[in-house]
Amino acid sequence: MLSGKRILLIIGGGIAAYKSLDLIRRLKERGALVTPVLTAAGHEFVTPLSVAALAGEKVHSDLFDLTAEAEMGHIQLSRVADLLVVAPATADLMAKMVQGRADDLASTLLLATDTPVLVAPAMNVRMWQHPATQRNLSTLRLDGVSFVGPNDGDMACGEFGPGRMAEPLEIVDAVTRSLGAGPLVGKRVVVTSGPTHEPIDPVRYIANRSSGAQGTAIGAALAALGAEVVFVTGPADVPPPPGVQVVKVKTAREMREAVHAALPADAAVFAAAVADWRVARESRSKIKKIGDGSLPVLTFSENPDILAEVSSLGGDRPELVVGFAAETDDVVAHATAKRDRKGCDWILANDVSPETGIMGGVENAVVLISEAGAETWPRMTKTEVAQRLAARVAQALGSD
Ligand code: CTP
């Protein structure tokens, strides 16, 4: 997937540097060539020997190394790569990049390069949240630098919060996106995600418990394979994934408009938990308590079924239309009937009965219903379900 792509990997001085060793392996597994650069602080956390052994290439560290300069000048070194990756990027390294300092090999390469730069920050949570680091982050973004992470979690220093370096596979995905590589390059995919909110009056609405986690993971997995993803999301609990075009909506009708506006597309994945009904006559003013004990009566209208509509489109129908089915009993039978009723190509069905713990959890157990029949996937994380689905989408579109 990254075959022949050259990555210049700058390893800064942070405890997360140990993960960079795994990152080198993952990049190489995918066919990338990795030229490693170790900062002076980076030397304190990983040895040049392990880095060189994994990369299969010499480690560069010294700006004034005569032998290295004779082999390849540092300006040339900054230009030979398809992408510069800084992982881990310390607060200090980010500050240096902002200031355009060039007092060691890593900062000089970052200043001299004309190739895209991807940064994976890793630092203590207070350092990350400090206004100085946040200012540097904004400046670097304006300079066109891309970021992956940091993630929330327990930190080596014993604190909790944002600051953990992104995991190696997340960095690999970001590298793939940055390089425009992957089997879905050139393919456009529309993904719906999250719940919808159906208003009762200006302050009240009807919603459902969808967190948007599965749809978000699908958007991320498709983008990681290089797809251009239009991510149409209702008000979800989780933030939209990186590397996608986000369209935020609230109601089912807004979602429908956004989906139609995003077509034509090669594939569409409908992971949203769309409300089946909306309140028939939304009140323009707040419904007041009358005080005589009488209760408001809400009447409902049916929402458009976006999946069924898109499945029955003529020329604009995506080549592959995928729906979801959340069932509590007779999963395969109900989902098979739903596939026929809605006219989509695949249904990913899951059992959401409370004892499965799937609704709101991190895992999912799905059955893929297609023309070929029902295929049961083992229970796995929502991220793994998304990656498996993205790989199948690539296969179906003939682009894996
Ligand atoms: N869906 C949609 N628009 C709607 C309702 C559902 O696009 N108005 C999509 C969902 O995103 C999902 C699939 O249809 O991919 C299945 O939705 P579901 O609510 O389970 O199906 P229903 O038709 O509501 O069937 P039932 O209520 O009988 O389970």
Side-chain angles (χ1 to χ4, degrees), residues 192-194 196 252 255-256 259 269-277 302-310 322-327 334 338 341-342 344 346-348:
T192 69
S193 183
T196 61
M255 186 170 275
R256 173 205 199 195
V259 166
V269 180
F270 293 89
V274 186
D276 288 320
W277 312 283
E302 200 165 324
N303 268 330
D305 188 323
I306 313 169
L307 171 63
E309 257 184 33
V310 170
V322 184
F324 272 76
E327 309 288 351
H334 280 138
K338 195 170 284 180
R341 204 165 61 241
K342 302 218 181 198
C344 55
W346 298 347
I347 285 266
L348 271 190

Side-chain angles (χ1 to χ4, degrees), residues 32 53 89 95 114 138-139 146 177 224 331 358 382:
D114 59 358
S138 309
T139 307
S146 307
R177 278 198 302 275
V331 176
I358 282 172
K382 288 181 178 174

Side-chain angles (χ1 to χ4, degrees), residues 66-91:
L66 267 182
T67 328
E69 274 303 304
E71 286 166 6
M72 183 196 290
H74 59 260
I75 300 295
Q76 199 191 342
L77 184 61
S78 78
R79 308 278 168 83
V80 289
D82 297 291
L83 183 71
L84 252 75
V85 177
V86 190
T90 58

Side-chain angles (χ1 to χ4, degrees), residues 23-291:
L23 174 62
I24 296 173
R25 283 187 44 227
R26 305 290 184 171
L27 289 168
K28 295 211 33 146
E29 272 167 16
R30 286 158 181 78
L33 304 160
V34 181
T35 307
V37 175
L38 204 50
T39 66
H43 273 92
E44 302 293 329
F45 293 91
V46 286
T47 69
L49 189 61
S50 20
V51 173
L54 285 166
E57 286 196 28
K58 167 189 164 81
V59 177
H60 300 261
S61 347
D62 195 352
L63 185 55
F64 302 110
D65 178 339
L66 267 182
T67 328
E69 274 303 304
E71 286 166 6
M72 183 196 290
H74 59 260
I75 300 295
Q76 199 191 342
L77 184 61
S78 78
R79 308 278 168 83
V80 289
D82 297 291
L83 183 71
L84 252 75
V85 177
V86 190
T90 58
D92 180 59
L93 203 44
M94 283 174 60
K96 270 187 176 169
M97 288 172 73
V98 168
Q99 291 178 355
R101 302 261 299 273
D103 57 2
D104 63 3
L105 183 63
S107 54
T108 304
L109 295 175
L110 284 160
L111 193 62
T113 191
D114 59 358
T115 50
V117 178
L118 173 70
V119 170
M123 65 195 75
N124 166 271
V125 54
R126 300 268 171 264
M127 290 169 79
W128 173 252
Q129 287 170 337
H130 195 285
T133 305
Q134 291 302 308
R135 264 196 313 276
N136 290 341
L137 173 67
S138 309
T139 307
L140 289 172
R141 281 207 171 113
L142 286 175
D143 289 347
V145 172
S146 307
F147 284 83
V148 51
N151 293 342
D152 276 6
D154 287 321
M155 313 203 55
C157 53
E159 292 187 54
F160 181 88
R164 268 167 74 114
M165 187 170 87
E167 294 305 316
L169 285 179
E170 291 176 291
I171 301 177
V172 169
D173 285 350
V175 166
T176 311
R177 278 198 302 275
S178 299
L179 289 171
L184 286 172
V185 167
K187 301 291 180 191
R188 183 175 166 91
V189 186
V190 180
V191 177
T192 69
S193 183
T196 61
H197 284 183
E198 307 298 331
I200 297 171
D201 67 16
V203 296
R204 303 181 179 94
Y205 57 82
I206 292 172
N208 61 64
R209 292 186 200 283
S210 165
S211 64
Q214 185 64 82
T216 299
I218 290 168
L222 290 163
L225 295 189
E228 176 194 353
V229 176
V230 184
F231 188 73
V232 182
T233 177
D237 295 342
V238 293
V244 304
Q245 185 189 322
V246 181
V247 185
K248 289 191 177 169
V249 298
K250 287 208 170 66
T251 67
R253 282 180 298 173
E254 286 170 10
M255 186 170 275
R256 173 205 199 195
E257 290 314 306
V259 166
H260 283 281
L263 297 177
D266 298 285
V269 180
F270 293 89
V274 186
D276 288 320
W277 312 283
R278 64 177 181 277
V279 176
R281 270 176 300 280
E282 175 193 347
S283 173
R284 296 216 173 274
S285 50
K286 187 180 168 203
I287 302 172
K288 303 294 282 181
K289 222 172 6 199
I290 300 165

